[in-house]
Amino acid sequence: MTSVATTVDLTDPSFWATEDCHQVLRALRHAAPVHLIESAEEGPLWCVLSHQLASAVLNDATTFSSQKGSLLGAGKGKTPAGAGKMMALTDPPKHRDLRRLVMPFFTKSKAAELTPRVHQLTAGVVRAAMDRGDTDFVRGISTTTPLTVMCDLIGVPEDDRDHVVRLCDAAFLGDTAATRSAAHQNLLPYLFQLALRRRADPREDIISTLATHRIDGDLLPLEEVLLNCDNILVGGIQTVRHTATMAMLALIDHPEAWAELGARTCDSALAVEELLRWTSVGLHVLRTATRDVELAGRKIRSGDRVVVWPPAANRDETEFDAPTQLNLRRSPNRHLAFGWGPHYCIGAPLARVELAGLFTTLAHQAEHPGLQAPPRYNQSIINFGLDTLEVRLSPRP
């Protein structure tokens, strides 16, 4: 079977903000579950749109490697910095070894241990937002708790918190790409200095664990400590922030779902899974074929780049009943919002706790929110989200 080419550029961020993007994805998926597109910036890309094939690609790290990049953006023929050194850009066994190092900080039991802390932080954030009435959900609500919890886990000292929070706010919420990039570059030297301090005086935190780890007697290079801490920090904040913001927009559009959450007539754990499926903010996952292989009759050559698109897979009718309906009671719900296979999101248990704490608190305490201005979508092909979401929160009687 010959390859199917499409004129739809899935790597264009503006496509994902269109009202009919999911209808377009459905039509493409029905035509063929794998499409070849030619991106001006990225070159030829094999795009996987079905749930079955997406799961298969993500589960096979031997055939579909992360070593040459896990996300688009580096450009055609370019290998990103950190390749082979950070969890996201390594394959087993190194990926497994790095993951095992920090896994104790992200287990289900650790997430349960952190739940009271998450609820305390969330309660304060929601109370402050309710006092304001009108608030930007992005800056006023969605970021605070995940940022604070990640500082706890990484080991940022209390005396440094204000400084790191300012850097992270600018790195993640800056008004321009240049502002965000500059702030992120300022964050890296701080993490480097902290790693040096923790290598000499280790604590029970992520950066100490990485900074004191030895491989065959040699300490893990500081560059790899830095890259992996940065990767964990960004992932732990960005995924929750974008999911929370897009989930709030979904709940504004679906008042019946908000009422279910507020009345406790649905299980909060199931509700979070459905909000994760519905939003699917991680737009894509990149892999590189290590050998010639076939996907749905398409001949993928060794070295070809394969892109899984979770928003398409998570609305596949062959996996989900009525996928275009937001159903907070949906079960089972084998969504791919956190990925699949060896690279399944290490922070998923904590993210679930943070999202459940936020939306149960909000829905129990606030009337159905009102949208105060049209939401402003970001221009990212990595995490689809909003730059602003102006809402009005009024206390329930």
Side-chain angles (χ1 to χ4, degrees):
M1 185 181 295
T2 58
S3 64
V4 176
T6 175
T7 57
V8 177
D9 185 4
L10 302 183
T11 68
D12 180 359
S14 63
F15 166 76
W16 298 95
T18 60
E19 292 185 1
D20 65 345
C21 71
H22 287 290
Q23 296 175 15
V24 173
L25 291 170
R26 180 184 180 187
L28 289 173
R29 189 172 58 249
H30 284 188
V34 178
H35 286 264
L36 178 64
I37 70 170
E38 183 75 32
S39 166
E41 297 293 330
E42 302 289 344
L45 302 169
W46 290 101
C47 295
V48 179
L49 306 178
S50 76
H51 188 279
Q52 179 185 5
L53 289 179
S55 302
V57 168
L58 296 178
N59 201 44
D60 186 357
T62 302
T63 304
F64 301 101
S65 170
S66 303
Q67 188 87 9
K68 292 184 178 180
S70 63
L71 295 170
L72 298 170
K76 182 180 178 180
K78 296 180 180 178
T79 301
K85 299 175 182 178
M86 55 195 292
M87 274 190 291
L89 300 177
T90 52
D91 296 323
K94 182 165 185 175
H95 171 78
R96 185 172 56 247
D97 293 341
L98 287 171
R99 189 182 180 96
R100 188 182 295 123
L101 271 179
V102 296
M103 179 59 80
F105 297 94
F106 296 105
T107 60
K108 289 183 179 179
S109 60
K110 182 63 175 180
E113 177 188 324
L114 290 170
T115 298
R117 169 74 163 155
V118 168
H119 286 182
Q120 176 195 31
L121 292 167
T122 302
V125 169
V126 170
R127 185 164 54 248
M130 300 265 278
D131 289 342
R132 289 192 299 271
D134 291 354
T135 189
D136 177 5
F137 193 88
V138 177
R139 288 164 173 76
I141 298 177
S142 68
T143 306
T144 305
T145 296
L147 173 54
T148 304
V149 172
M150 287 310 303
C151 284
D152 290 346
L153 291 175
I154 286 178
V156 177
E158 285 294 336
D159 291 347
D160 297 348
R161 288 294 173 94
D162 289 345
H163 173 62
V164 172
V165 167
R166 284 194 298 271
L167 288 176
C168 287
D169 280 348
F172 302 140
L173 302 174
D175 291 333
T176 67
T179 300
R180 294 190 293 270
S181 177
H184 199 219
Q185 291 304 310
N186 288 332
L187 180 62
L188 296 177
Y190 170 79
L191 291 175
F192 182 82
Q193 292 300 322
L194 183 59
L196 287 176
R197 288 155 58 188
R198 289 294 178 258
R199 181 165 280 183
D201 181 21
R203 310 287 173 85
E204 297 293 326
D205 52 46
I206 290 173
I207 199 163
S208 295
T209 299
L210 291 169
T212 59
H213 179 64
R214 292 182 179 273
I215 302 175
D216 298 328
D218 296 324
L219 288 166
L220 188 68
L222 279 172
E223 181 189 13
E224 296 190 27
V225 175
L226 176 64
L227 288 168
N228 282 285
C229 278
D230 184 60
N231 184 211
I232 291 168
L233 181 65
V234 171
I237 297 169
Q238 292 287 69
T239 300
V240 176
R241 174 168 75 89
H242 287 297
T243 300
T245 305
M246 293 300 290
M248 174 54 86
L249 182 60
L251 291 168
I252 290 173
D253 292 338
H254 295 81
E256 72 286 353
W258 184 268
E260 279 192 274
L261 280 172
R264 305 175 190 258
T265 56
C266 61
D267 183 285
S268 62
L270 292 181
V272 165
E273 297 306 315
E274 179 66 349
L275 291 170
L276 284 161
R277 181 194 74 87
W278 185 265
T279 57
S280 295
V281 298
L283 286 181
H284 74 273
V285 182
L286 174 65
R287 296 290 185 261
T288 302
T290 60
R291 62 181 179 86
D292 292 354
V293 64
E294 277 199 6
L295 284 177
R298 312 314 192 218
K299 293 182 179 180
I300 314 296
R301 302 298 185 188
S302 177
D304 284 358
R305 298 204 293 171
V306 178
V307 186
V308 169
W309 298 92
N314 284 343
R315 298 204 185 191
D316 187 340
E317 304 88 341
T318 63
E319 175 64 28
F320 302 98
D321 181 44
T324 59
Q325 295 178 12
L326 181 67
N327 177 9
L328 299 187
R329 303 166 190 249
R330 186 182 298 276
S331 182
N333 194 343
R334 294 174 62 250
H335 64 78
L336 304 180
F338 285 132
W340 200 257
H343 281 268
Y344 185 79
C345 177
I346 194 171
L350 177 57
R352 288 183 167 106
V353 166
E354 291 172 340
L355 292 167
L358 176 59
F359 285 108
T360 54
T361 301
L362 275 169
H364 293 164
Q365 296 189 18
E367 297 282 6
H368 185 246
L371 196 60
Q372 297 303 98
R376 181 157 57 90
Y377 290 92
N378 65 7
Q379 290 295 306
S380 171
I381 194 58
I382 297 174
N383 284 306
F384 182 58
L386 301 173
D387 285 336
T388 61
L389 181 63
E390 301 287 344
V391 299
R392 172 166 293 175
L393 293 175
S394 302
R396 286 185 181 274

